[in-house]
Amino acid sequence: MKRLLLLSLVALGLLTNSAIAKRVDQVEYPTYYAHTNGISLAYQEFGDPEDDSIVLIMGLGGQLIHWDDDIVWALVDAGFHVVRFDNRDAGWSTK
């Protein structure tokens, strides 16, 4: 059941992040940084770290804020620990 929900939400995420413009809410969530090899990668975590984890990868040049909050919270409500991050040299991450 979790796998079907995950696939449905990923498909929904692809649709909501299409070329169609959408409203972006300015909600602030705690942002953390992983530092390695001279770069810093920004990430955010949602849900219980003891739950199964899902890492949301936006793609080339995508920022973590491009993942719709409704998708993130739907995954948390389904029992997942969710991590979204800024790719290297995107958003709050560095080169």
Side-chain angles (χ1 to χ4, degrees), residues 57-80:
I57 303 171
M58 179 48 66
L60 180 64
Q63 293 179 255
L64 61 84
I65 61 171
H66 292 132
W67 283 103
D68 192 276
D69 290 347
D70 292 338
I71 292 172
V72 172
W73 290 112
L75 289 168
V76 170
D77 290 343
F80 291 100

Side-chain angles (χ1 to χ4, degrees), residues 11-18 20 22 66 68 71:
L12 178 62
L14 293 174
L15 292 175
T16 60
N17 288 310
S18 66
I20 299 171
K22 64 177 186 147
H66 292 132
D68 192 276
I71 292 172

Side-chain angles (χ1 to χ4, degrees), residues 12-94:
L12 178 62
L14 293 174
L15 292 175
T16 60
N17 288 310
S18 66
I20 299 171
K22 64 177 186 147
R23 179 178 55 88
V24 177
D25 292 325
Q26 296 299 319
V27 178
E28 295 292 324
Y29 298 108
T31 302
Y32 307 96
Y33 293 87
H35 306 283
T36 185
N37 297 326
I39 59 173
S40 297
L41 297 176
Y43 68 95
Q44 297 174 337
E45 293 183 280
F46 302 86
D48 185 347
E50 295 296 318
D51 291 338
D52 291 337
S53 293
I54 292 180
V55 177
L56 301 178
I57 303 171
M58 179 48 66
L60 180 64
Q63 293 179 255
L64 61 84
I65 61 171
H66 292 132
W67 283 103
D68 192 276
D69 290 347
D70 292 338
I71 292 172
V72 172
W73 290 112
L75 289 168
V76 170
D77 290 343
F80 291 100
H81 169 243
V82 179
V83 178
R84 62 183 180 180
F85 68 97
D86 280 338
N87 287 308
R88 182 178 176 176
D89 200 25
W92 295 309
S93 293
T94 62

